[in-house]
């Protein structure tokens, strides 16, 4: 009977050691879970901050693109108006040259 008691005691000791090992593994796993949760929370906060920054940058970019588009429109209209002025100036110069030529021709005829 003592031999059976010794075997039972051996089993008990081994069972207690296994339970202690499992408890230590659980504690280590709990630490790892806590670290992972802290890292997750930190990353979520960083994502939130970056998302807010991205939203501000996108709004700023949209305003700048709208301003550039408006400037492009103004430039195109100004260039078109300037080309009309150049064309009118050329036409005026040609008419003036013709008139001066006609005046010279008329005055030459009168003097002859």
């Amino acid at each position: 009977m003592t031999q059976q008691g010794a075997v039972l005691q051996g089993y008990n000791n081994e069972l207690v050691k296994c339970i202690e090992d499992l408890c230590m593994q659980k504690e280590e796993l709990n630490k790892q879970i806590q670290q992972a949760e802290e890292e997750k929370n930190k990353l979520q906060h960083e994502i939130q901050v970056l998302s807010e920054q991205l939203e501000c940058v996108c709004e700023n970019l949209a305003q700048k693109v709208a301003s550039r588009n408006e400037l492009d429109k103004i430039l195109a209209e100004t260039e078109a108006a300037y080309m009309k002025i150049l064309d009118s100036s050329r036409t005026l110069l040609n008419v003036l040259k013709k008139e001066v030529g006609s005046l010279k021709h008329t005055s030459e005829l009168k003097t002859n």
Side-chain angles (χ1 to χ4, degrees):
M1 192 68 100
T2 44
Q3 188 177 10
Q4 290 174 340
V7 170
L8 185 58
Q9 184 63 36
Y11 289 156
N12 186 46
N13 289 342
E14 194 172 331
L15 183 60
V16 168
K17 176 147 178 34
C18 285
I19 291 173
E20 288 174 352
D21 287 346
L22 287 173
C23 286
M24 287 176 46
Q25 287 179 7
K26 178 185 172 189
E27 285 179 31
E28 181 60 32
L29 194 55
N30 279 337
K31 287 179 187 177
Q32 291 174 0
I33 288 170
Q34 184 179 357
Q35 289 173 346
E37 286 176 346
E38 288 172 2
E39 181 69 13
K40 176 187 141 205
N41 291 336
K42 177 185 166 195
L43 291 172
Q44 283 178 328
H45 177 72
E46 289 176 9
I47 288 171
Q48 181 181 356
V49 168
L50 289 173
S51 293
E52 290 169 3
Q53 289 177 350
L54 178 61
E55 185 178 336
C56 287
V57 168
C58 286
E59 288 174 7
N60 191 311
L61 178 61
Q63 290 172 351
K64 288 181 180 185
V65 167
S67 294
R68 184 192 61 196
N69 290 344
E70 185 64 25
L71 285 174
D72 284 344
K73 180 182 170 188
I74 291 168
L75 278 170
E77 290 171 355
T78 302
E79 287 174 352
Y82 183 68
M83 293 306 291
K84 286 181 182 180
I85 291 170
L86 286 178
D87 190 43
S88 295
S89 294
R90 184 177 56 243
T91 302
L92 179 60
L93 180 60
N94 289 338
V95 168
L96 185 60
K97 283 181 180 179
K98 265 188 190 178
E99 291 296 322
V100 168
S102 292
L103 286 176
K104 282 185 183 178
H105 183 48
T106 303
S107 66
E108 286 175 2
L109 289 176
K110 286 184 181 179
T111 55
N112 286 338

